[in-house]
C-alpha cells in the first residue's frame, strides 16, 4: 500500500545539568514555559531554519511557521488586531512529506539535532512530556481584549487554549493516493472512535502542578474530548462534522489525515510504533465503528486507568490485532512489537517516566527523542 507520511512533534524547553553528589545521580532540571520563555529571543535564535522554501508546508499568516521548526504557544494581539507576542509553550518540528513513517522519523531526528544546536546557545535543551508538569493552570495574562475575543470566536483553532498551551504531543500525518473524500472522512471517523484504545500506548503525562497525578495521562484527561482526536483535509461531504473535516489550504494537503490524540512519545521506537498503529487502523477493513467526536468517558477512563480498565485493555488488543492484520507483509508491522510488550505488561510509557522521576527527580524526559 502506497502512502505518504509526516510528523509534527511538540517539545518542551528545559535547562538541565547532572548532579552526582551525595552518592546518587539526579538531574538539576528547570522546566520552562510561557512564564519565562521570551518570544523575541527565541524567534531570533530559530530564524532562517531549514524548510523555508518547501512549498508543501502550510504557513501561518504571521511568519512564525515558516520552515521545519517554529515556536508553539498562544498568540496575542493588541486592541487593533496587531500581533504583539506569543506566550511560548515550546517548539514544534514538522517533517517534510516522506514516503514512509521510517523516513519521517529519520528526518525528525535530523531536524531535532539541528534545532538542538541552536537552542544550546541559549542554554536550552529539548524535553519531552505530554503535559506541563509544573503549572496548576494556564491563565491568560493580560486577559483577552475585545478584538481577541471576537477573533477567537470566529477561529475555532484557538478554542481551549487553557489546555493546548499546557499539552505536548505529535500529529501523525498520513495520506493515501486514490481515496475519495468520503473514504478519507470514513477513515478519520474510524480513528476518532478507536482513539481511546490507541492512546495509552503513548501516555507520558503522569504529572501535574509539580507532583504525580492520579493517572498516566493528564493530557488525555483534559484534551481529547474538548478537541478533535483526528481531522482530515478534503472538500467536506454533505453532513460532515465541521471540526473534523477541513478544506485543504494548499494543494498538497488534499486528502491528508491527521491523528492528534497521542501524548508525546518518549522514543523513536515508540513514535514509529504509534505511527504504525495509526497506519494499520487507517487500512483495517475489520474495524467497523465510526464516530464524529471523541468519547469523553472512554478517553478519561483511559487517561486514569489505561490498561487496568478491562474495556480499554480489550479495545487496545482489538486495534493492535487489526493493525497487525492490515499491515501484514509491510515493514511497518514490525514496529508494533513494542506495543505488544506494553500491553502484555499492563504498562504505559508514563510508568517509565515515574520510574525515572523516583531516581532523577525530573518530570520529563531530557535530551529529546533517542
Amino acid at each position: 500500500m502506497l502512502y505518504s507520511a509526516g510528523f509534527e512533534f511538540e517539545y518542551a524547553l528545559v535547562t538541565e545539568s547532572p548532579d552526582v553528589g551525595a552518592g546518587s545521580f539526579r538531574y538539576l532540571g528547570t522546566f520552562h514555559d510561557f512564564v519565562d520563555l521570551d518570544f523575541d529571543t527565541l524567534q531570533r535564535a530559530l530564524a532562517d531554519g531549514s524548510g523555508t522554501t518547501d512549498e508543501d508546508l502550510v504557513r501561518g499568516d504571521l511568519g512564525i511557521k515558516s520552515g521545519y521548526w517554529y515556536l508553539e504557544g498562544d498568540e496575542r494581539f493588541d486592541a487593533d488586531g496587531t500581533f504583539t507576542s506569543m506566550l511560548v509553550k515550546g517548539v514544534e518540528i514538522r517533517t517534510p512529506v516522506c514516503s514512509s513513517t521510517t523516513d519521517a522519523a529519520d528526518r525528525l531526528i535530523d531536524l531535532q539535532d539541528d534545532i538542538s544546536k541552536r537552542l544550546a546557545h541559549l542554554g536550552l535543551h529539548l524535553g519531552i512530556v505530554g503535559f506541563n508538569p509544573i503549572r496548576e493552570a494556564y491563565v491568560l495574562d493580560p486577559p483577552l481584549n475585545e478584538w481577541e475575543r471576537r477573533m477567537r470566536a470566529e477561529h475555532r483553532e484557538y478554542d481551549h487554549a487553557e489546555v493546548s498551551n499546557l499539552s505536548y504531543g505529535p500529529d501523525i500525518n498520513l495520506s493515501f493516493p486514490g481515496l475519495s473524500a468520503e473514504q478519507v472522512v470514513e477513515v478519520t471517523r474510524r480513528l476518532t472512535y478507536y482513539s481511546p484504545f490507541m492512546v495509552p500506548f503513548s501516555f507520558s503525562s503522569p504529572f501535574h502542578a509539580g507532583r504525580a497525578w492520579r493517572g498516566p495521562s493528564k493530557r488525555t484527561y483534559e484534551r481529547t474530548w474538548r478537541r478533535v482526536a483526528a481531522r482530515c483535509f478534503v472538500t467536506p461531504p454533505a453532513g460532515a462534522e465541521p471540526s473534523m473535516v477541513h478544506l485543504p489550504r494548499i494543494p498538497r494537503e488534499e486528502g491528508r489525515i491527521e491523528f492528534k490524540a497521542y501524548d508525546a512519545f518518549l522514543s523513536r521506537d515508540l513514535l514509529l510504533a504509534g505511527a504504525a498503529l495509526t497506519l494499520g487502523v487507517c487500512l483495517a477493513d475489520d474495524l467497523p465503528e465510526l464516530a464524529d467526536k471523541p468519547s469523553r468517558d472512554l478517553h478519561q477512563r483511559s487517561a486514569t486507568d489505561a490498561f487496568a480498565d478491562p474495556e480499554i485493555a480489550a479495545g487496545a488488543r482489538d486495534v493492535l490485532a487489526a493493525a497487525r492484520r492490515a499491515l501484514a507483509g509491510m515493514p511497518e508491522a514490525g514496529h508494533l512489537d513494542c506495543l505488544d510488550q506494553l500491553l502484555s505488561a499492563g504498562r504505559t510509557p508514563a510508568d517509565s517516566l515515574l520510574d525515572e522521576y523516583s531516581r532523577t527527580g525530573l518530570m520529563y524526559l531530557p535530551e529529546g527523542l533517542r
Side-chain angles (χ1 to χ4, degrees), residues 33-103:
D33 59 14
F34 44 85
V35 171
D36 59 0
L37 290 173
D38 182 72
F39 169 74
D40 291 326
T41 300
L42 286 165
Q43 187 74 342
R44 286 193 297 270
L46 300 181
D48 302 318
S50 57
T52 55
T53 61
D54 189 334
E55 296 301 321
D56 287 337
L57 297 179
V58 174
R59 304 169 191 279
D61 54 5
L62 298 175
I64 298 172
K65 298 182 177 182
S66 60
Y68 293 144
W69 61 62
Y70 47 86
L71 296 174
E72 269 285 10
D74 200 9
E75 298 157 356
R76 299 305 307 269
F77 301 83
D78 67 16
D80 297 322
T82 300
F83 173 74
T84 57
S85 189
M86 174 188 282
L87 298 173
V88 179
K89 75 171 182 180
V91 299
E92 179 164 321
I93 297 175
R94 57 179 171 180
T95 70
V97 178
C98 298
S99 61
S100 71
T101 57
T102 302
D103 288 346

Side-chain angles (χ1 to χ4, degrees), residues 201 307 317 320 337-347:
F201 295 110
F307 301 131
R317 283 192 294 271
L320 189 52
D337 292 347
C338 62
L339 304 188
D340 281 318
Q341 295 166 12
L342 286 172
L343 185 55
S344 296
R347 286 175 60 89

Side-chain angles (χ1 to χ4, degrees), residues 327-359:
L327 298 177
M330 297 175 64
E332 291 83 356
H335 297 154
L336 298 173
D337 292 347
C338 62
L339 304 188
D340 281 318
Q341 295 166 12
L342 286 172
L343 185 55
S344 296
R347 286 175 60 89
T348 75
D351 292 301
S352 297
L353 268 186
L354 289 166
D355 292 344
E356 287 298 310
Y357 172 64
S358 68
R359 289 190 290 267

